[in-house]
Amino acid sequence: MALVAEPSAVPLPARARSGRRIGPGTRYALNQIAGSLATFLFVIVFNFFLFRILPGDPISLYTKGRDVSGARIRELQAQLHQPIWHQFISYMRDPFSQTAESVKYNSPVWDVIGPRVWPTLLLVGTATILATLIGVWLGIRSAWKRGQRFDKVTTTTTLIFYSMPEFWFGMILLIVFSVGAFGIPGFFPVGGLSTPGVDINTPAGWVDVAWHLTLPVTTLTVIYLAEYSLIMRASLIDEMGQDYLKTARAKGLLDRMVRQRHAVPNAMLPTTTLIFMNLGFVVGGAITIEDVFSIPGLGSLTVDAINGPDIPLLQSLFVLFSGAVILANLIANLLYAKLDPRVRT
Amino acid sequence: MRSSTRRTRIMATCAAIALVGGISTVGVVSAAADTPSPSASSTDSVLNVGILQDIDSANPFTGVAASSYEIYQMMYPTLTNYAAKDFSTAPGIATSWTESADHKTWTYQIRPGMKWSDGVPMTAADAAYTFNRVINGKYEQTNFGNYVANITSAEAPSPTTLVLNVSRPTPNMTHLAVYILPEHIWKNVSESQVQSYKNEPAAGQTIVGGGPFLLAQRVVGQYIRMVRNPNYYGKAPALNEVDFRIYSNGDAMGQALKKGEIDFADSLEANVFNSLKNVPGITTVPAIYSGFDELAFNTGAALDTGKPIGTGSPLLKDVKLRQAIGWAIDRQTLVDKVLGGLGTPGSTIIPPLYANQHLDPANPVTYDPAKANALLDAAGYKMGPNNVRVAPNGTPLSFRLNGRTNSPSSMKTVQYIQGYLAAVGIKATVTNISEDALTQKIGEGDYDMFEWGWVVEPDPNYQLSTFTCANRSYLSGGSITANLSDSFYCNSAYDALYDKQGGQTNPDERIATVKTMQQMLYDDAPYILTYYYDDLEAYRSDRFTGFVPQPAPNGALLFQYGTYSYENVTPVSATSASADSSGVSSALIIGLVVAVVIIAGLVFALVRRRPATGVDDDRE
């Protein structure tokens, strides 16, 4: 009684009170944000040095394929051969510089990256979301009916797809459903994101893009499924032995209610982390599937940039990728706190 | 320029190295599956061309990719062209040209009455503007500087007369690969803007050009649409449109051709090419090509100043040793085993495709290990322990040999070469590294032998320059920088001939000099050419006909020095277009059936193992 009454009885100094206003939840959030910012700063610094270890000469890359005179090459080198700390300072001044040029594409790096973002987001984003929805659903069903036919079939099937080489599976789908085999007509296109001449900003264009994306998205979704269904299944099985479920059942709740209201929310925790971690990696693209289905995404751009190396482009891509992962992580952590109050303390 | 580099065709596939390699080994591609070709319709006069490499820029001052140059030559005219038949000089927008007696002035007669695609007259003034822009520009020099190196100024005294003034006799004035740009457009692009100028069309419009086709749309990484130029000065093409579709791997491109999504595929890998061979409606063309691969030696790495550098074995400075190695290598077997027969054994550095410049050596070096052994014995390299020969100074004949991880054929070739060398008592330690890493090693002279290749332009100057003393590595800012020479061959007699051909404006005299130089290189053996490889092309002969090979009769059908095929291709009449469903390869069927059986079996076995121990309630 006294303990409860004390704060109101003795007014705290203003500073302390204002400090008190930041609840543990907010403090947790601020800590997370600060941590993420620090990580991002580290990444930016690390980023600079990482790519300078790679072999290769940017000038020879720049002049590759060009009939450039020796004098001109020397001139270019004089421009670029600055001491490393000079480069570092000018880099740190603006790590997201709009003027940094890709040596391979000869235009500002963000101009090169820009058009590659939406194909990647469409492809990997759609596949990740689909795989999450279907995978979580499968995981819940399998765990709830553990050991039964549905569980065995889904677990085995998703694991088989999970262990298949992506490009092989993609190529099989391409041959069967794009080119046509076994009497199955080749309905889907072999490559690309849209048909030349079709304006993708019209409803007909959207259908065209969806038609182009069907096979690649299917490939990725099917391959990703196991990741979500297995984690979901495992964590739900863990929960299923818990006493509170017995209590819930004892209260006479329907089995479906026990599952949806009590078991699943608790079992979602590890899956949430996984989902957000993976959403962070969406930006990185799916190199092999982009390659099989000729989709100009960020994954293949990264491979291109490494083959050079195109350091400004690599640097920017790396900042983008790590930024996305750090951001997704942050969201996961914040959401985690929301879902599981224990982590806030 | 576009091809005279180490780019060869590796660049096109480098984005997909690991993957394509993987797919090829799985053998998925050899599976052929056909569907009826799309029926003939209004899309008949659209030629869809599959490419493996996007253009890097639609701006001719910026792009370097081979695909970009295909676009440029469709969009923009040049003064003269290379004839389809034999690469001889043919009229472009210039119908005739004369060199002044003092070799200082070239005068070109420009066609009258030409128009740019927007209707503005195309005259000698546009040509003069373009040349002056390159001559006086800085960034503009990057792509075209070497063509105009001797040109001091360009003038257009009348709309049909172009005068180019040169500082010295210049043989390449009859084939200046400088794209003539419309002055009224490009004068608005300032020197500071030109590098990042995209030169891409706004929606519904085309880029103003003067070639047979105009850039109508570019979607990065996906496709490029070229539409017919109604104002083209030459013969009007039958095609309405040429679409280039970009595929990230050769296997998918092969499949797209089978499906009929594209009508033409270039730079195919041998396995894809072979899988297309017997497909109805498709014609495969192993076109002779301007590329060669070689075994190159470190003939004594040094800077352009003559200061020795690197770690190369001094033994390889001995021309007798290099010549003996020439007799030890079975080039025909390399062609058969590495290229699958799609090429010819190599000899001199100007490929036989350029028939009038290529030298067939009078003293051909063939595969003769006995002769190689005899030459090595005579040169004092006696057989030592472990079947490795030893030099007179006691050093064993043991060398490093680099292949390129970027190229499966390179890695195969070095395996064979290792065997051929072992057979004559020379030990080669093979290491495969990336082309970038190899470029650096070569520049620093940190190698003994390597395998690589060049693609040679119709003008021999650039290729010849890769063997001059001046093009050895040089010091820049204290570090050694690679130049064009990768064998560090340095011979003052050769350099003198190089300078001589660079001033010979009489074609026959120049060719004689060029042939002498080829013989010199053949005898001194800084390179041993392994093979000239074919360019593997395939097209839907059930839909299009009239492709023009360059050179006749078995050269490339597209990606030429010129736009001959685009101008002459016609759609096949609708009635004859048909293809029937046939042959999925038995290997694929068996593989799929086995996979399905295994999967079904696994699932079945697991399902059968019930009842399980888990939660049994299902009280929903």
Side-chain angles (χ1 to χ4, degrees), chain A residues 65-67 75 77 106 147 152 156 168 175 178-180 186 190 193-194 249 291 294, chain B residues 5 19 26 28 33 35 62 64 138 146 195 222 248-249 259 261 462 476 481 606 610 619:
Chain A
R66 298 167 191 240
D67 208 348
E75 216 172 276
Q77 276 167 342
N106 231 312
K152 284 180 172 171
T156 317
W168 186 80
I175 289 174
S178 285
V179 184
V190 174
L193 261 185
S194 59
R249 286 208 183 90
D291 204 276
S294 306
Chain B
T5 69
L19 178 72
V26 178
V28 166
T35 47
T62 289
V64 289
K138 193 161 183 148
N146 267 19
Q195 178 169 4
Q222 293 195 57
S248 347
N249 70 79
K259 182 181 161 69
E261 198 167 292
Y462 187 88
S476 165
T481 305
L606 282 164
R610 66 190 305 228
R619 290 177 294 181

mmCIF file of all heavy atoms in Angstrom, chain A residues 65-67 75 77 106 147 152 156 168 175 178-180 186 190 193-194 249 291 294, chain B residues 5 19 26 28 33 35 62 64 138 146 195 222 248-249 259 261 462 476 481 606 610 619:
data_model
loop_
_atom_site.group_PDB
_atom_site.id
_atom_site.type_symbol
_atom_site.label_atom_id
_atom_site.label_comp_id
_atom_site.label_asym_id
_atom_site.label_seq_id
_atom_site.Cartn_x
_atom_site.Cartn_y
_atom_site.Cartn_z
ATOM 1 N N GLY A 65 36.959 -3.062 -74.102
ATOM 2 C CA GLY A 65 36.096 -2.972 -75.260
ATOM 3 C C GLY A 65 36.176 -1.649 -75.987
ATOM 4 O O GLY A 65 35.487 -1.422 -76.955
ATOM 5 N N ARG A 66 36.999 -0.753 -75.493
ATOM 6 C CA ARG A 66 37.118 0.531 -76.173
ATOM 7 C C ARG A 66 38.518 0.676 -76.722
ATOM 8 O O ARG A 66 39.479 0.231 -76.116
ATOM 9 C CB ARG A 66 36.877 1.685 -75.199
ATOM 10 C CG ARG A 66 35.516 1.694 -74.609
ATOM 11 C CD ARG A 66 35.526 2.665 -73.467
ATOM 12 N NE ARG A 66 34.311 2.533 -72.690
ATOM 13 C CZ ARG A 66 33.435 3.513 -72.509
ATOM 14 N NH1 ARG A 66 33.641 4.682 -73.022
ATOM 15 N NH2 ARG A 66 32.373 3.318 -71.799
ATOM 16 N N ASP A 67 38.566 1.350 -77.838
ATOM 17 C CA ASP A 67 39.835 1.588 -78.486
ATOM 18 C C ASP A 67 40.419 2.870 -77.892
ATOM 19 O O ASP A 67 40.372 3.915 -78.497
ATOM 20 C CB ASP A 67 39.557 1.753 -79.982
ATOM 21 C CG ASP A 67 40.744 1.347 -80.790
ATOM 22 O OD1 ASP A 67 41.811 1.167 -80.197
ATOM 23 O OD2 ASP A 67 40.598 1.209 -82.011
ATOM 24 N N GLU A 75 45.351 9.528 -68.277
ATOM 25 C CA GLU A 75 44.590 10.664 -67.767
ATOM 26 C C GLU A 75 43.500 10.183 -66.800
ATOM 27 O O GLU A 75 43.316 10.737 -65.717
ATOM 28 C CB GLU A 75 43.903 11.331 -68.968
ATOM 29 C CG GLU A 75 43.791 12.821 -68.915
ATOM 30 C CD GLU A 75 43.278 13.314 -70.259
ATOM 31 O OE1 GLU A 75 44.095 13.491 -71.204
ATOM 32 O OE2 GLU A 75 42.064 13.468 -70.375
ATOM 33 N N GLN A 77 43.464 7.437 -65.174
ATOM 34 C CA GLN A 77 44.048 6.896 -63.961
ATOM 35 C C GLN A 77 44.427 7.990 -62.991
ATOM 36 O O GLN A 77 44.238 7.859 -61.788
ATOM 37 C CB GLN A 77 45.274 6.056 -64.306
ATOM 38 C CG GLN A 77 44.863 4.660 -64.672
ATOM 39 C CD GLN A 77 45.977 3.907 -65.315
ATOM 40 O OE1 GLN A 77 46.945 4.494 -65.786
ATOM 41 N NE2 GLN A 77 45.850 2.600 -65.324
ATOM 42 N N ASN A 106 28.459 3.225 -66.838
ATOM 43 C CA ASN A 106 28.731 4.589 -67.211
ATOM 44 C C ASN A 106 27.586 5.542 -66.923
ATOM 45 O O ASN A 106 27.356 6.484 -67.678
ATOM 46 C CB ASN A 106 29.027 4.645 -68.710
ATOM 47 C CG ASN A 106 30.298 5.389 -68.951
ATOM 48 O OD1 ASN A 106 30.490 6.476 -68.392
ATOM 49 N ND2 ASN A 106 31.177 4.815 -69.721
ATOM 50 N N GLY A 147 1.811 -36.409 -37.685
ATOM 51 C CA GLY A 147 1.901 -37.843 -37.893
ATOM 52 C C GLY A 147 0.823 -38.400 -38.803
ATOM 53 O O GLY A 147 0.898 -39.536 -39.236
ATOM 54 N N LYS A 152 2.458 -35.946 -43.168
ATOM 55 C CA LYS A 152 3.542 -36.682 -43.839
ATOM 56 C C LYS A 152 3.695 -36.226 -45.281
ATOM 57 O O LYS A 152 4.805 -35.997 -45.760
ATOM 58 C CB LYS A 152 3.236 -38.173 -43.797
ATOM 59 C CG LYS A 152 3.515 -38.746 -42.430
ATOM 60 C CD LYS A 152 3.218 -40.218 -42.417
ATOM 61 C CE LYS A 152 3.674 -40.823 -41.105
ATOM 62 N NZ LYS A 152 3.203 -42.204 -40.988
ATOM 63 N N THR A 156 7.051 -34.159 -46.362
ATOM 64 C CA THR A 156 7.942 -34.797 -47.330
ATOM 65 C C THR A 156 8.015 -33.974 -48.613
ATOM 66 O O THR A 156 9.097 -33.695 -49.126
ATOM 67 C CB THR A 156 7.419 -36.204 -47.685
ATOM 68 O OG1 THR A 156 7.005 -36.829 -46.485
ATOM 69 C CG2 THR A 156 8.480 -36.999 -48.362
ATOM 70 N N TRP A 168 17.500 -25.946 -61.427
ATOM 71 C CA TRP A 168 17.079 -27.178 -62.076
ATOM 72 C C TRP A 168 15.566 -27.261 -62.099
ATOM 73 O O TRP A 168 14.950 -27.505 -63.127
ATOM 74 C CB TRP A 168 17.677 -28.370 -61.334
ATOM 75 C CG TRP A 168 17.423 -29.687 -61.997
ATOM 76 C CD1 TRP A 168 18.092 -30.214 -63.060
ATOM 77 C CD2 TRP A 168 16.403 -30.632 -61.651
ATOM 78 N NE1 TRP A 168 17.556 -31.430 -63.393
ATOM 79 C CE2 TRP A 168 16.524 -31.713 -62.550
ATOM 80 C CE3 TRP A 168 15.410 -30.662 -60.678
ATOM 81 C CZ2 TRP A 168 15.695 -32.822 -62.504
ATOM 82 C CZ3 TRP A 168 14.575 -31.773 -60.628
ATOM 83 C CH2 TRP A 168 14.714 -32.848 -61.529
ATOM 84 N N ILE A 175 10.796 -25.766 -69.254
ATOM 85 C CA ILE A 175 10.699 -26.642 -70.425
ATOM 86 C C ILE A 175 9.288 -27.201 -70.553
ATOM 87 O O ILE A 175 8.719 -27.262 -71.641
ATOM 88 C CB ILE A 175 11.747 -27.770 -70.334
ATOM 89 C CG1 ILE A 175 13.132 -27.179 -70.561
ATOM 90 C CG2 ILE A 175 11.455 -28.865 -71.345
ATOM 91 C CD1 ILE A 175 14.256 -28.149 -70.362
ATOM 92 N N SER A 178 6.659 -23.695 -70.447
ATOM 93 C CA SER A 178 6.886 -22.599 -71.392
ATOM 94 C C SER A 178 7.000 -23.127 -72.802
ATOM 95 O O SER A 178 6.382 -22.618 -73.726
ATOM 96 C CB SER A 178 8.180 -21.858 -71.058
ATOM 97 O OG SER A 178 8.009 -21.062 -69.944
ATOM 98 N N VAL A 179 7.861 -24.129 -72.959
ATOM 99 C CA VAL A 179 8.084 -24.645 -74.300
ATOM 100 C C VAL A 179 7.029 -25.702 -74.613
ATOM 101 O O VAL A 179 6.549 -25.795 -75.735
ATOM 102 C CB VAL A 179 9.503 -25.217 -74.419
ATOM 103 C CG1 VAL A 179 9.756 -25.671 -75.837
ATOM 104 C CG2 VAL A 179 10.526 -24.176 -74.019
ATOM 105 N N GLY A 180 6.671 -26.478 -73.604
ATOM 106 C CA GLY A 180 5.665 -27.505 -73.804
ATOM 107 C C GLY A 180 6.283 -28.875 -73.948
ATOM 108 O O GLY A 180 7.243 -29.050 -74.700
ATOM 109 N N GLY A 186 2.919 -25.301 -74.304
ATOM 110 C CA GLY A 186 3.745 -24.281 -73.645
ATOM 111 C C GLY A 186 2.969 -22.982 -73.550
ATOM 112 O O GLY A 186 2.913 -22.213 -74.494
ATOM 113 N N VAL A 190 9.050 -17.794 -72.102
ATOM 114 C CA VAL A 190 10.332 -18.354 -71.670
ATOM 115 C C VAL A 190 11.085 -17.376 -70.777
ATOM 116 O O VAL A 190 11.727 -17.772 -69.812
ATOM 117 C CB VAL A 190 11.196 -18.723 -72.895
ATOM 118 C CG1 VAL A 190 12.578 -19.167 -72.461
ATOM 119 C CG2 VAL A 190 10.522 -19.816 -73.706
ATOM 120 N N LEU A 193 9.907 -10.044 -68.413
ATOM 121 C CA LEU A 193 8.840 -9.628 -67.507
ATOM 122 C C LEU A 193 7.622 -9.132 -68.258
ATOM 123 O O LEU A 193 6.554 -8.995 -67.697
ATOM 124 C CB LEU A 193 9.354 -8.494 -66.615
ATOM 125 C CG LEU A 193 9.804 -8.862 -65.225
ATOM 126 C CD1 LEU A 193 10.158 -7.617 -64.461
ATOM 127 C CD2 LEU A 193 8.706 -9.615 -64.500
ATOM 128 N N SER A 194 7.804 -8.801 -69.528
ATOM 129 C CA SER A 194 6.667 -8.317 -70.306
ATOM 130 C C SER A 194 6.954 -8.514 -71.786
ATOM 131 O O SER A 194 8.087 -8.716 -72.188
ATOM 132 C CB SER A 194 6.412 -6.837 -70.010
ATOM 133 O OG SER A 194 7.546 -6.075 -70.329
ATOM 134 N N ARG A 249 -8.676 -26.097 -23.381
ATOM 135 C CA ARG A 249 -9.603 -27.178 -23.761
ATOM 136 C C ARG A 249 -10.565 -27.483 -22.631
ATOM 137 O O ARG A 249 -11.742 -27.731 -22.853
ATOM 138 C CB ARG A 249 -8.809 -28.436 -24.104
ATOM 139 C CG ARG A 249 -8.122 -28.333 -25.435
ATOM 140 C CD ARG A 249 -7.935 -29.698 -26.075
ATOM 141 N NE ARG A 249 -7.211 -29.530 -27.318
ATOM 142 C CZ ARG A 249 -5.881 -29.580 -27.381
ATOM 143 N NH1 ARG A 249 -5.170 -29.821 -26.305
ATOM 144 N NH2 ARG A 249 -5.284 -29.379 -28.528
ATOM 145 N N ASP A 291 18.084 -15.675 -63.250
ATOM 146 C CA ASP A 291 18.862 -16.096 -64.404
ATOM 147 C C ASP A 291 18.086 -17.066 -65.289
ATOM 148 O O ASP A 291 18.071 -16.921 -66.506
ATOM 149 C CB ASP A 291 20.149 -16.739 -63.924
ATOM 150 C CG ASP A 291 21.206 -16.662 -64.978
ATOM 151 O OD1 ASP A 291 21.219 -17.539 -65.859
ATOM 152 O OD2 ASP A 291 21.975 -15.705 -64.939
ATOM 153 N N SER A 294 15.319 -15.133 -67.013
ATOM 154 C CA SER A 294 15.745 -13.873 -67.642
ATOM 155 C C SER A 294 15.018 -12.668 -67.066
ATOM 156 O O SER A 294 14.461 -11.860 -67.800
ATOM 157 C CB SER A 294 15.538 -13.913 -69.150
ATOM 158 O OG SER A 294 16.171 -15.033 -69.698
ATOM 159 N N THR B 5 38.750 -6.674 -78.743
ATOM 160 C CA THR B 5 39.188 -6.701 -77.366
ATOM 161 C C THR B 5 39.110 -8.101 -76.842
ATOM 162 O O THR B 5 38.658 -9.012 -77.498
ATOM 163 C CB THR B 5 38.256 -5.867 -76.511
ATOM 164 O OG1 THR B 5 37.027 -6.571 -76.480
ATOM 165 C CG2 THR B 5 38.066 -4.508 -77.082
ATOM 166 N N LEU B 19 25.760 -20.490 -63.233
ATOM 167 C CA LEU B 19 24.467 -21.098 -63.471
ATOM 168 C C LEU B 19 24.428 -21.854 -64.780
ATOM 169 O O LEU B 19 24.044 -23.013 -64.837
ATOM 170 C CB LEU B 19 23.407 -20.018 -63.505
ATOM 171 C CG LEU B 19 22.094 -20.667 -63.810
ATOM 172 C CD1 LEU B 19 21.636 -21.445 -62.610
ATOM 173 C CD2 LEU B 19 21.112 -19.661 -64.205
ATOM 174 N N VAL B 26 23.722 -30.488 -66.209
ATOM 175 C CA VAL B 26 22.561 -31.312 -65.902
ATOM 176 C C VAL B 26 22.005 -31.896 -67.191
ATOM 177 O O VAL B 26 21.392 -32.946 -67.199
ATOM 178 C CB VAL B 26 21.480 -30.490 -65.180
ATOM 179 C CG1 VAL B 26 20.268 -31.345 -64.906
ATOM 180 C CG2 VAL B 26 22.025 -29.950 -63.885
ATOM 181 N N VAL B 28 19.829 -30.578 -69.144
ATOM 182 C CA VAL B 28 18.422 -30.283 -69.346
ATOM 183 C C VAL B 28 18.189 -29.781 -70.755
ATOM 184 O O VAL B 28 17.195 -30.105 -71.399
ATOM 185 C CB VAL B 28 17.975 -29.219 -68.336
ATOM 186 C CG1 VAL B 28 16.634 -28.653 -68.729
ATOM 187 C CG2 VAL B 28 17.911 -29.820 -66.952
ATOM 188 N N ALA B 33 11.901 -29.893 -76.954
ATOM 189 C CA ALA B 33 10.455 -30.013 -76.851
ATOM 190 C C ALA B 33 9.843 -28.975 -77.749
ATOM 191 O O ALA B 33 10.182 -27.812 -77.679
ATOM 192 C CB ALA B 33 10.022 -29.788 -75.420
ATOM 193 N N THR B 35 6.546 -27.077 -79.689
ATOM 194 C CA THR B 35 5.133 -26.794 -79.804
ATOM 195 C C THR B 35 4.962 -26.158 -81.153
ATOM 196 O O THR B 35 5.921 -25.665 -81.734
ATOM 197 C CB THR B 35 4.677 -25.798 -78.742
ATOM 198 O OG1 THR B 35 5.608 -24.731 -78.725
ATOM 199 C CG2 THR B 35 4.602 -26.449 -77.393
ATOM 200 N N THR B 62 28.969 6.299 -75.288
ATOM 201 C CA THR B 62 29.101 5.674 -73.981
ATOM 202 C C THR B 62 29.144 4.151 -74.021
ATOM 203 O O THR B 62 29.903 3.526 -73.299
ATOM 204 C CB THR B 62 27.935 6.150 -73.076
ATOM 205 O OG1 THR B 62 28.152 7.515 -72.753
ATOM 206 C CG2 THR B 62 27.857 5.352 -71.801
ATOM 207 N N VAL B 64 29.717 0.181 -74.781
ATOM 208 C CA VAL B 64 30.828 -0.642 -75.249
ATOM 209 C C VAL B 64 30.398 -2.070 -75.558
ATOM 210 O O VAL B 64 31.127 -2.813 -76.193
ATOM 211 C CB VAL B 64 31.995 -0.704 -74.233
ATOM 212 C CG1 VAL B 64 32.708 0.613 -74.160
ATOM 213 C CG2 VAL B 64 31.530 -1.147 -72.874
ATOM 214 N N LYS B 138 36.384 15.578 -75.518
ATOM 215 C CA LYS B 138 37.234 14.847 -74.605
ATOM 216 C C LYS B 138 36.584 13.493 -74.340
ATOM 217 O O LYS B 138 37.106 12.445 -74.683
ATOM 218 C CB LYS B 138 37.369 15.629 -73.299
ATOM 219 C CG LYS B 138 38.454 15.105 -72.431
ATOM 220 C CD LYS B 138 38.854 16.158 -71.429
ATOM 221 C CE LYS B 138 40.000 15.597 -70.618
ATOM 222 N NZ LYS B 138 40.911 16.612 -70.193
ATOM 223 N N ASN B 146 40.478 6.695 -81.505
ATOM 224 C CA ASN B 146 41.496 6.080 -82.342
ATOM 225 C C ASN B 146 41.177 6.144 -83.831
ATOM 226 O O ASN B 146 42.069 6.112 -84.660
ATOM 227 C CB ASN B 146 41.746 4.636 -81.909
ATOM 228 C CG ASN B 146 42.883 4.572 -80.916
ATOM 229 O OD1 ASN B 146 43.239 5.591 -80.299
ATOM 230 N ND2 ASN B 146 43.468 3.405 -80.760
ATOM 231 N N GLN B 195 28.200 12.383 -71.454
ATOM 232 C CA GLN B 195 28.482 11.081 -70.853
ATOM 233 C C GLN B 195 27.223 10.416 -70.310
ATOM 234 O O GLN B 195 27.003 9.225 -70.499
ATOM 235 C CB GLN B 195 29.511 11.237 -69.733
ATOM 236 C CG GLN B 195 29.808 9.910 -69.039
ATOM 237 C CD GLN B 195 30.994 9.992 -68.121
ATOM 238 O OE1 GLN B 195 31.581 11.059 -67.925
ATOM 239 N NE2 GLN B 195 31.385 8.871 -67.553
ATOM 240 N N GLN B 222 15.315 -6.154 -70.459
ATOM 241 C CA GLN B 222 14.259 -6.985 -71.052
ATOM 242 C C GLN B 222 14.224 -6.974 -72.573
ATOM 243 O O GLN B 222 14.328 -8.009 -73.193
ATOM 244 C CB GLN B 222 12.900 -6.546 -70.529
ATOM 245 C CG GLN B 222 12.722 -6.826 -69.064
ATOM 246 C CD GLN B 222 11.260 -6.711 -68.704
ATOM 247 O OE1 GLN B 222 10.422 -7.379 -69.269
ATOM 248 N NE2 GLN B 222 10.957 -5.837 -67.784
ATOM 249 N N SER B 248 18.982 -14.263 -69.961
ATOM 250 C CA SER B 248 20.161 -14.304 -69.103
ATOM 251 C C SER B 248 20.984 -15.555 -69.302
ATOM 252 O O SER B 248 22.085 -15.630 -68.811
ATOM 253 C CB SER B 248 19.811 -14.199 -67.630
ATOM 254 O OG SER B 248 18.517 -13.808 -67.419
ATOM 255 N N ASN B 249 20.459 -16.539 -69.986
ATOM 256 C CA ASN B 249 21.307 -17.701 -70.227
ATOM 257 C C ASN B 249 20.978 -18.338 -71.551
ATOM 258 O O ASN B 249 19.852 -18.261 -72.045
ATOM 259 C CB ASN B 249 21.203 -18.702 -69.066
ATOM 260 C CG ASN B 249 19.860 -19.377 -69.012
ATOM 261 O OD1 ASN B 249 19.605 -20.310 -69.773
ATOM 262 N ND2 ASN B 249 18.996 -18.900 -68.143
ATOM 263 N N LYS B 259 10.399 -22.512 -79.024
ATOM 264 C CA LYS B 259 9.010 -22.129 -78.785
ATOM 265 C C LYS B 259 8.528 -21.150 -79.838
ATOM 266 O O LYS B 259 7.347 -21.042 -80.101
ATOM 267 C CB LYS B 259 8.903 -21.509 -77.405
ATOM 268 C CG LYS B 259 7.498 -21.111 -76.990
ATOM 269 C CD LYS B 259 7.546 -20.481 -75.610
ATOM 270 C CE LYS B 259 6.316 -19.663 -75.297
ATOM 271 N NZ LYS B 259 5.122 -20.480 -75.118
ATOM 272 N N GLU B 261 9.338 -17.911 -79.548
ATOM 273 C CA GLU B 261 9.304 -16.602 -78.898
ATOM 274 C C GLU B 261 10.307 -15.668 -79.580
ATOM 275 O O GLU B 261 10.099 -14.461 -79.641
ATOM 276 C CB GLU B 261 9.662 -16.789 -77.419
ATOM 277 C CG GLU B 261 9.275 -15.667 -76.510
ATOM 278 C CD GLU B 261 9.375 -16.100 -75.039
ATOM 279 O OE1 GLU B 261 8.580 -16.943 -74.609
ATOM 280 O OE2 GLU B 261 10.273 -15.596 -74.341
ATOM 281 N N TYR B 462 44.638 -2.602 -84.995
ATOM 282 C CA TYR B 462 44.531 -2.810 -83.550
ATOM 283 C C TYR B 462 45.168 -4.143 -83.157
ATOM 284 O O TYR B 462 45.950 -4.224 -82.210
ATOM 285 C CB TYR B 462 43.063 -2.790 -83.145
ATOM 286 C CG TYR B 462 42.824 -2.834 -81.661
ATOM 287 C CD1 TYR B 462 42.772 -1.672 -80.920
ATOM 288 C CD2 TYR B 462 42.642 -4.048 -80.996
ATOM 289 C CE1 TYR B 462 42.538 -1.702 -79.549
ATOM 290 C CE2 TYR B 462 42.408 -4.088 -79.632
ATOM 291 C CZ TYR B 462 42.357 -2.915 -78.916
ATOM 292 O OH TYR B 462 42.127 -2.949 -77.570
ATOM 293 N N SER B 476 52.405 3.698 -63.856
ATOM 294 C CA SER B 476 51.491 4.813 -63.703
ATOM 295 C C SER B 476 51.271 5.018 -62.218
ATOM 296 O O SER B 476 50.802 4.115 -61.529
ATOM 297 C CB SER B 476 50.172 4.481 -64.405
ATOM 298 O OG SER B 476 49.182 5.379 -63.980
ATOM 299 N N THR B 481 50.855 -0.971 -64.860
ATOM 300 C CA THR B 481 49.526 -1.035 -65.455
ATOM 301 C C THR B 481 49.588 -1.804 -66.767
ATOM 302 O O THR B 481 50.480 -1.578 -67.583
ATOM 303 C CB THR B 481 49.006 0.383 -65.714
ATOM 304 O OG1 THR B 481 49.060 1.100 -64.487
ATOM 305 C CG2 THR B 481 47.586 0.357 -66.205
ATOM 306 N N LEU B 606 6.147 -43.044 -46.671
ATOM 307 C CA LEU B 606 5.953 -42.336 -45.410
ATOM 308 C C LEU B 606 4.493 -42.400 -44.972
ATOM 309 O O LEU B 606 4.195 -42.562 -43.795
ATOM 310 C CB LEU B 606 6.416 -40.887 -45.548
ATOM 311 C CG LEU B 606 7.932 -40.767 -45.475
ATOM 312 C CD1 LEU B 606 8.378 -39.421 -46.001
ATOM 313 C CD2 LEU B 606 8.380 -40.954 -44.033
ATOM 314 N N ARG B 610 1.970 -44.928 -41.147
ATOM 315 C CA ARG B 610 1.071 -44.582 -40.070
ATOM 316 C C ARG B 610 0.579 -45.849 -39.385
ATOM 317 O O ARG B 610 0.723 -46.928 -39.924
ATOM 318 C CB ARG B 610 -0.098 -43.741 -40.590
ATOM 319 C CG ARG B 610 -1.015 -44.526 -41.543
ATOM 320 C CD ARG B 610 -1.986 -43.627 -42.200
ATOM 321 N NE ARG B 610 -2.740 -42.870 -41.213
ATOM 322 C CZ ARG B 610 -4.074 -42.764 -41.244
ATOM 323 N NH1 ARG B 610 -4.760 -43.392 -42.174
ATOM 324 N NH2 ARG B 610 -4.711 -42.047 -40.375
ATOM 325 N N ARG B 619 -10.633 -32.756 -33.645
ATOM 326 C CA ARG B 619 -11.990 -32.485 -33.175
ATOM 327 C C ARG B 619 -12.566 -31.233 -33.773
ATOM 328 O O ARG B 619 -13.341 -30.537 -33.163
ATOM 329 C CB ARG B 619 -11.978 -32.383 -31.644
ATOM 330 C CG ARG B 619 -11.735 -33.723 -30.979
ATOM 331 C CD ARG B 619 -11.672 -33.560 -29.499
ATOM 332 N NE ARG B 619 -10.531 -32.774 -29.097
ATOM 333 C CZ ARG B 619 -10.231 -32.489 -27.838
ATOM 334 N NH1 ARG B 619 -11.016 -32.880 -26.874
ATOM 335 N NH2 ARG B 619 -9.153 -31.794 -27.532
#
